[in-house]
Amino acid sequence: MKTNFFKIAFIFALFISFTCTAQQKLDLKVLYVGYHPEKPMPERLGVFTTGSLSNERFKKEYEYRYPAFMDYLNTYFAEVKGVDARDYNSKLSENYDVTIFDHIPNLISEQVVETDENGQRVGYIPAKYIEDDFDHAAIFIGHAAPVMTSPLGSKLDWYCLCLDAHAHSLNTGHPIFKGPLNVSLTMEDRPTPSGAFHYASGRNLPDTMPMWQVQTEGYLEGKGYRIGQVSSFDGFLDSPETEFISSGVCTKDIDAVAIGRHGNFLLWGFSASPDYMTQESKKVFANAIYYMKQFKGHKIIAKKTERIIFTRQYIDQIKYGLTEEGYQDYLGLIREFHDKNEKERNDAILKKEKGEKLTEEEEELANRPSRPRQPDMPWEDYIKRYMGGFFEQFGTDVKAYITYLDENLEYISFEKDKGYYGLVVDENVKSLGVSNRQPELLTTCIELLEKGEKMELAHKILKRYTDESFESANEWRNWYKNNKNKLFFTEAGGYKWLVNTVPNHEE
């Protein structure tokens, strides 16, 4: 009787445990897109396939990354489905609240490079993996973000595949750190990433800063783990459908985006599968999935159609590069890069001489010929390379560059393949003496049309700085009147005045 009592009690405890666990699951339908281990491994192992995970490590982890995600997601969410990336199509996302892309699906359209009669490139359409009208809420892990979303105009660009295991500069007030799963972030002071000191934004950084550990192993440990992805912060927040959530340890500037949202797309730049996530980050990632459900049906408003587009935010970096400190910093980076490559080569050779087994990457390094360090680039050559098309105008006159930038700050615009990463001064706007990033530009041009003055100039400016093509002053006036409370200026989106179409936008 006593034995039966304990059996019943044990079974009842299991039932209660199971019931409580089930009740704790978040009411969400989640679709996971990865590489299913029952399918053959991809034949070609490149960065788009592995995320720069070493080939040996990729082959080893091919069996358990997918199951690790499925077990994890089933722990937190009511309905979960997994699909091999090679079998994915966008229709599958229609029945789910959030789709997670851990690996990249098959192409739906190849890249197109347009050339003129001389073979010069005049146009380019990037390869696409999802459709232009993809409006499902989606999370992209690491390199999947820029590969899949940049062709659609996302700001989740390929700034650098160089993110390690720790986050910093967190927006701790963001909802993903608040719930629905309770999480208490453990912050630890760690050395500030050395790469950040090479940027203008890093000149006054402390030696250490509070950081949060996201994964238990990072690529910097040298064991071949998958590398994380960061996107550029320049112009990232200049449209209403973006959020900066966190940066992380990487080789770029201190504001590089490690976790961030653009429209219905979220970059989770950290690379770890759940079996390499910390207990805290497991909860935060689950919260991020839950948070993204509200963006199903949303779309990008400000499309970043150029991979590199100059923004005013970068002017401080230009000015820093024109200083002696900036010049010496550049030379130091070149030397550091060379010495690092040579050390990796020599380490691989030494390992081979000891008879130790080399990875494919180490084998390649060991067989590579030594490359002598190049002499330091002279100042004049550096300025010529650094300032591009402006060198013909100002040569090595640093003060002239800075004066030019300061005097024309409000008239700076973008033209592809011109100036410095497209930096140009819009002489048409300058002739009006009105900033192109102030709404007065629009009202001034509309008033000129209404008065019948400088009509060609006014039309040219209005069509350049908006996506509209009205012909009459009345049409322009009505458009401005109806949208003035929703208008915003975006530089990353092409130096345009656009209308905020975020659902439920308050007028």
Side-chain angles (χ1 to χ4, degrees):
M1 185 71 178
K2 186 175 181 181
T3 303
N4 289 338
F5 171 80
F6 282 116
K7 282 183 178 179
I8 293 170
F10 178 71
I11 293 170
F12 180 75
L14 284 178
F15 174 76
I16 292 297
S17 175
F18 173 81
T19 303
C20 290
T21 301
Q23 288 176 344
Q24 290 173 355
K25 288 190 176 184
L26 301 173
D27 185 17
L28 211 67
K29 297 179 180 179
V30 180
L31 178 65
Y32 169 76
V33 182
Y35 284 144
H36 199 295
E38 292 182 0
K39 294 198 68 166
M41 192 179 300
E43 293 182 5
R44 296 182 62 184
L45 299 184
V47 63
F48 283 11
T49 306
T50 67
S52 282
L53 192 71
S54 70
N55 290 348
E56 286 80 4
R57 191 74 180 265
F58 177 78
K59 293 171 184 176
K60 179 181 177 182
E61 297 188 4
Y62 188 78
E63 295 182 7
Y64 58 80
R65 187 174 176 99
Y66 186 104
F69 264 106
M70 292 303 292
D71 289 345
Y72 162 80
L73 293 170
N74 277 302
T75 299
Y76 289 105
F77 300 101
E79 184 174 335
V80 176
K81 180 178 175 61
V83 62
D84 188 277
R86 292 156 289 190
D87 296 328
Y88 174 81
N89 65 75
S90 296
K91 279 194 167 296
L92 293 173
S93 293
E94 292 179 1
N95 298 320
Y96 294 89
D97 299 302
V98 179
T99 302
I100 300 169
F101 291 100
D102 187 33
H103 286 102
I104 300 165
N106 294 329
L107 284 166
I108 61 171
S109 64
E110 299 278 355
Q111 70 175 11
V112 177
V113 179
E114 300 172 352
T115 57
D116 59 19
E117 61 276 8
N118 298 317
Q120 296 296 313
R121 179 167 148 174
V122 294
Y124 173 70
I125 301 174
K128 291 183 180 178
Y129 301 84
I130 49 178
E131 294 80 1
D132 288 327
D133 61 355
F134 187 97
D135 64 352
H136 306 295
I139 294 177
F140 299 84
I141 297 175
H143 70 289
V147 174
M148 294 182 65
T149 73
S150 286
L152 276 59
S154 168
K155 295 179 182 179
L156 307 180
D157 59 14
W158 193 289
Y159 188 30
C160 184
L161 191 68
C162 56
L163 179 62
D164 198 47
H166 288 78
H168 62 73
S169 307
L170 284 71
N171 175 9
T172 55
H174 193 276
I176 72 168
F177 299 118
K178 300 298 183 181
L181 299 177
N182 292 326
V183 58
S184 178
L185 300 180
T186 302
M187 305 300 290
E188 175 189 7
D189 281 346
R190 293 177 58 86
T192 300
S194 60
F197 294 108
H198 296 299
Y199 292 82
S201 58
R203 281 179 289 179
N204 298 314
L205 288 174
D207 292 334
T208 62
M209 58 194 310
M211 295 191 187
W212 174 57
Q213 186 172 4
V214 181
Q215 52 196 66
T216 57
E217 183 182 341
Y219 84 97
L220 289 177
E221 292 183 36
K223 300 176 183 178
Y225 198 61
R226 182 170 168 174
I227 306 175
Q229 176 77 38
V230 292
S231 294
S232 174
F233 186 70
D234 287 351
F236 190 80
L237 293 177
D238 72 5
S239 58
E241 80 286 30
T242 57
E243 295 181 277
F244 172 87
I245 300 174
S246 169
S247 187
V249 174
C250 65
T251 61
K252 296 297 183 180
D253 60 291
I254 204 65
D255 296 322
V257 183
I259 306 175
R261 181 181 68 85
H262 189 192
N264 52 314
F265 300 148
L266 179 85
L267 164 68
W268 182 272
F270 295 94
S271 65
S273 54
D275 45 335
Y276 284 88
M277 289 181 182
T278 64
Q279 291 302 311
E280 292 176 7
S281 67
K282 287 180 183 178
K283 291 184 178 180
V284 173
F285 186 66
N287 286 343
I289 297 169
Y290 189 84
Y291 176 71
M292 283 302 295
K293 70 172 184 174
Q294 65 186 298
F295 300 105
K296 185 166 186 175
H298 288 218
K299 288 185 180 180
I300 292 169
I301 303 172
K303 292 187 176 183
K304 186 176 181 180
T305 56
E306 299 297 330
R307 188 177 70 85
I308 298 177
I309 183 169
F310 178 87
T311 68
R312 288 181 178 89
Q313 197 168 342
Y314 197 70
I315 287 179
D316 285 344
Q317 184 63 33
I318 292 180
K319 291 179 178 179
Y320 173 66
L322 291 168
T323 64
E324 177 65 21
E325 180 184 356
Y327 170 55
Q328 292 300 331
D329 196 6
Y330 172 81
L331 297 180
L333 274 174
I334 299 299
R335 299 187 204 108
E336 182 181 317
F337 180 75
H338 172 272
D339 293 347
K340 177 177 178 292
N341 286 342
E342 284 300 293
K343 182 179 184 304
E344 290 175 349
R345 173 182 174 273
N346 291 332
D347 289 346
I349 291 173
L350 182 61
K351 188 173 179 180
K352 188 174 184 177
E353 290 173 347
K354 290 180 178 179
E356 298 177 15
K357 184 179 179 181
L358 273 64
T359 65
E360 291 180 21
E361 290 81 1
E362 288 172 333
E363 191 69 46
E364 184 179 340
L365 282 170
N367 294 328
R368 192 192 71 192
S370 179
R371 297 168 184 168
R373 182 195 287 174
Q374 296 298 312
D376 287 345
M377 183 182 293
W379 170 253
E380 183 172 345
D381 291 347
Y382 165 76
I383 294 294
K384 186 174 184 178
R385 180 174 179 179
Y386 186 65
M387 293 309 299
F390 287 107
F391 183 81
E392 293 181 8
Q393 189 172 354
F394 300 116
T396 58
D397 189 344
V398 169
K399 290 184 179 179
Y401 286 111
I402 294 174
T403 299
Y404 180 78
L405 291 170
D406 288 344
E407 290 180 348
N408 293 286
L409 182 65
E410 298 305 321
Y411 316 122
I412 285 173
S413 189
F414 172 82
E415 286 185 31
K416 189 176 179 179
D417 302 326
K418 296 280 186 73
Y420 180 98
Y421 293 119
L423 183 160
V424 295
V425 171
D426 191 327
E427 296 296 338
N428 290 324
V429 173
K430 187 175 180 179
S431 69
L432 297 180
V434 181
S435 170
N436 58 9
R437 57 177 169 171
Q438 296 299 324
E440 285 76 17
L441 176 71
L442 303 176
T443 56
T444 297
C445 289
I446 293 172
E447 288 170 3
L448 287 173
L449 292 178
E450 290 171 335
K451 294 176 182 177
E453 300 175 3
K454 300 181 180 178
M455 296 182 67
E456 183 179 350
L457 176 65
H459 271 302
K460 187 173 183 179
I461 291 174
L462 287 170
K463 291 178 180 180
R464 161 64 185 86
Y465 287 95
T466 72
D467 281 340
E468 309 303 328
S469 56
F470 305 121
E471 292 300 329
S472 71
N474 189 50
E475 288 175 305
W476 280 110
R477 176 61 70 185
N478 287 336
W479 170 80
Y480 180 77
K481 181 180 178 181
N482 293 332
N483 296 291
K484 65 179 181 179
N485 293 331
K486 299 179 182 180
L487 289 170
F488 68 93
F489 186 70
T490 170
E491 294 179 359
Y495 284 76
K496 297 273 189 180
W497 282 94
L498 301 177
V499 177
N500 182 359
T501 56
V502 171
N504 301 318
H505 174 74
E506 295 183 5
E507 299 190 20

